[in-house]
Amino acid sequence: MMEKKRTDCPALPPGWKKEEVIRKSGLSAGKSDVYYYSPSGKKFRSKPQLSRYLGNSVDLGCFDFRTGKMMPGKLQKNKQRLRHDLLSLGKGGKPDLNTALPIRQTASIFKQPVTKVTSHPGNKVKTDLQRASEQPRQLFWERRLKGLRSSDITEEVLRTMDLPKGLQSVGPDSSEDTLLSAIASALHMSSAPITGQTSVAAEKNPAIWLNTSQPLCKAFAVTDEHIREQELKVYQARRSLEEALMADGLARAAENTRELLQGKTV
């Protein structure tokens, strides 16, 4: 069972309603969901949806979606935290670049180094060469990345990349998102060439013949045409980034000028 409470939302334009749905039974009893309804009856389930619909007519920067109130202190804290991060980076601070993959750390089943203590002068510490060269990995760990999406500062989900047609998945649950995560992880974590699964047997029984050092895709070849296409995409992306940085710099300069003029006027 659920209990619904619908009230007016004074923080939004006239006619907007806030609905709070409280669960009365089940494992999630006591929890609530918040929705908003426009004067025309359109339902909104998240702040990004609300922001896209209202556009520039209402500033939702300090709007709290859960309570339905404007929270100026929350916006100020976010600005201070962003300013602190920028200052720390400007002073030589390092950003948080922790890109550890969600791979399960399994207990080692290999033999541990053993020292045999006797009076013989030729005794040595024996080690397992296989353990030193290769660590155990969980098969198909890329499936743990399924359903994870990146979002921008407005909590809007970003569009994923389009993979070339020549890349084909191998293994269970071979979706494009899983394949993209596997290739990106291999490029980032390994310095070895990325060739895909070169063994034909891996397609028939990947649980046995899978090469864990390569992503879950069939063997592929990179041609000169592919390289030229990627170079063009990189050039276009750099141009877009340059234009965005210039626009941001001009906007910041204009904002600083307005603040100085307002200070002189006061």
Side-chain angles (χ1 to χ4, degrees), residues 227-241:
I227 296 176
R228 285 192 292 269
E229 290 178 356
Q230 291 301 317
E231 288 177 346
L232 179 60
K233 291 181 180 179
V234 171
Y235 174 76
Q236 293 174 349
R238 288 178 175 175
R239 290 286 299 176
S240 300
L241 178 60

Side-chain angles (χ1 to χ4, degrees), residues 121-175:
N123 289 331
K124 297 181 181 180
V125 177
K126 297 182 179 181
T127 58
D128 195 327
L129 297 178
Q130 186 178 9
R131 172 178 169 78
S133 61
E134 183 179 359
Q135 294 292 335
R137 295 188 182 184
Q138 181 185 15
L139 288 179
F140 313 123
W141 64 265
E142 294 87 351
R143 296 182 61 183
R144 298 183 63 182
L145 301 174
K146 183 181 179 181
L148 298 180
R149 297 293 184 88
S150 301
S151 58
D152 57 15
I153 193 172
T154 62
E155 301 181 6
E156 183 177 358
V157 177
L158 300 176
R159 187 178 66 87
T160 57
M161 296 174 56
D162 295 328
L163 292 174
K165 297 180 179 179
L167 294 178
Q168 299 180 7
S169 302
V170 173
D173 191 20
S174 54
S175 62

Side-chain angles (χ1 to χ4, degrees), residues 97-246:
L97 299 178
N98 183 16
T99 54
L101 298 173
I103 304 176
R104 185 176 63 189
Q105 302 298 321
T106 57
S108 175
I109 59 175
F110 300 118
K111 297 178 180 179
Q112 302 296 323
V114 176
T115 303
K116 185 178 181 181
V117 181
T118 64
S119 59
H120 196 280
N123 289 331
K124 297 181 181 180
V125 177
K126 297 182 179 181
T127 58
D128 195 327
L129 297 178
Q130 186 178 9
R131 172 178 169 78
S133 61
E134 183 179 359
Q135 294 292 335
R137 295 188 182 184
Q138 181 185 15
L139 288 179
F140 313 123
W141 64 265
E142 294 87 351
R143 296 182 61 183
R144 298 183 63 182
L145 301 174
K146 183 181 179 181
L148 298 180
R149 297 293 184 88
S150 301
S151 58
D152 57 15
I153 193 172
T154 62
E155 301 181 6
E156 183 177 358
V157 177
L158 300 176
R159 187 178 66 87
T160 57
M161 296 174 56
D162 295 328
L163 292 174
K165 297 180 179 179
L167 294 178
Q168 299 180 7
S169 302
V170 173
D173 191 20
S174 54
S175 62
E176 280 200 5
D177 293 341
T178 304
L179 176 58
L180 177 60
S181 301
I183 294 177
S185 303
L187 290 172
H188 181 70
M189 302 298 295
S190 175
S191 59
I194 306 302
T195 60
Q197 301 296 325
T198 55
S199 174
V200 180
E203 300 180 18
K204 299 179 180 179
N205 196 339
I208 297 179
W209 303 106
L210 187 70
N211 183 1
T212 57
S213 62
Q214 292 293 329
L216 301 176
C217 64
K218 297 181 181 179
F220 59 89
V222 179
T223 63
D224 293 338
E225 183 179 358
H226 294 153
I227 296 176
R228 285 192 292 269
E229 290 178 356
Q230 291 301 317
E231 288 177 346
L232 179 60
K233 291 181 180 179
V234 171
Y235 174 76
Q236 293 174 349
R238 288 178 175 175
R239 290 286 299 176
S240 300
L241 178 60
E242 181 181 2
E243 294 173 358
L245 290 175
M246 290 181 61

